[in-house]
Amino acid sequence: MPSKPPHAFTDLLAGATRSAVHLEMRDSYAVDYETGPFAEWRAGHRLDPADRSSWRRPWLSIVEEATTRGVVIRRARIVSEPVSEYTRFLHSFTFTNLAAGEKVRWLPRRQASTIALPGNDYWLFDDHTVYWNHFTGDGNSAGGEVADDQATAKLCSEAFEAVWARATPHDQYEIH
């Protein structure tokens, strides 16, 4: 059973000593068509690989700090194909995640059909603490929840490893 109240996500990542894996299974997250990074991307703005100061902060700084102390961070994204406009947006700046030290892979949803997957996106820290990401129907965050029981960690670990084994590394994944 999930514990309450949930720990702050950043505290969980800061406390990780070996690994942090993240499974994303939605085709869009909190899309704002009027303002913000997605709207700017739709208008033609692209991040400059040479201008690290323009990248998403503080997230990338948090990742860099964790990977510098030896935490391996892997992110797998299960996506529908042809991909959504939002997935194209994510793909366009994933180079920043890689530069910060994350490893990222993509799995077409049709290749995930035989994998037993949890019902929500999640982070798994050091193979024992799960941070569930809850979202509303339109992709806005509905908060997080921590679970630290062995059965939940095992479910998430096995699901992630199955996805990771089938997924394509970011630099080889072609958008369809």
Side-chain angles (χ1 to χ4, degrees):
M1 189 52 128
S3 61
K4 298 273 183 184
H7 304 287
F9 170 82
T10 53
D11 292 342
L12 291 169
L13 184 55
T17 59
R18 296 180 319 279
S19 65
V21 300
H22 184 37
L23 184 61
E24 296 178 350
M25 298 181 283
R26 297 180 56 90
D27 286 321
S28 68
Y29 295 86
V31 177
D32 183 344
Y33 291 95
E34 304 300 321
T35 62
F38 182 68
E40 293 167 3
W41 178 84
R42 290 181 90 208
H45 173 74
R46 298 298 182 265
L47 293 178
D48 180 354
D51 182 12
R52 291 178 75 99
S53 67
S54 69
W55 300 356
R56 290 182 306 145
R57 301 288 177 182
W59 172 246
L60 297 173
S61 298
I62 293 167
V63 170
E64 288 170 341
E65 187 279 325
T67 58
T68 297
R69 59 186 167 77
V71 176
V72 176
I73 300 178
R74 296 183 293 159
R75 177 188 305 259
R77 292 177 169 145
I78 298 175
V79 296
S80 299
E81 290 183 329
V83 300
S84 67
E85 185 179 28
Y86 187 85
T87 297
R88 288 181 185 283
F89 163 68
L90 284 179
H91 191 271
S92 76
F93 68 80
T94 295
F95 72 89
T96 65
N97 298 74
L98 300 175
E102 279 190 61
K103 297 170 182 4
V104 180
R105 291 188 181 182
W106 302 80
L107 182 66
R109 192 170 308 283
R110 71 182 182 287
Q111 293 178 21
S113 296
T114 59
I115 299 172
L117 298 168
N120 293 291
D121 290 10
Y122 62 88
W123 282 87
L124 174 62
F125 300 97
D126 293 332
D127 294 317
H128 62 74
T129 303
V130 176
Y131 183 87
W132 298 110
N133 296 114
H134 298 297
F135 295 94
T136 63
D138 59 5
N140 289 308
S141 176
E145 186 175 27
V146 175
D148 54 12
D149 64 281
Q150 188 176 11
T152 301
K154 182 178 183 213
L155 168 72
C156 291
S157 178
E158 289 175 353
F160 185 87
E161 294 306 330
V163 168
W164 191 257
R166 293 183 190 183
T168 303
H170 174 73
D171 63 348
Q172 297 172 25
Y173 181 70
E174 295 181 27
I175 291 288
H176 297 289

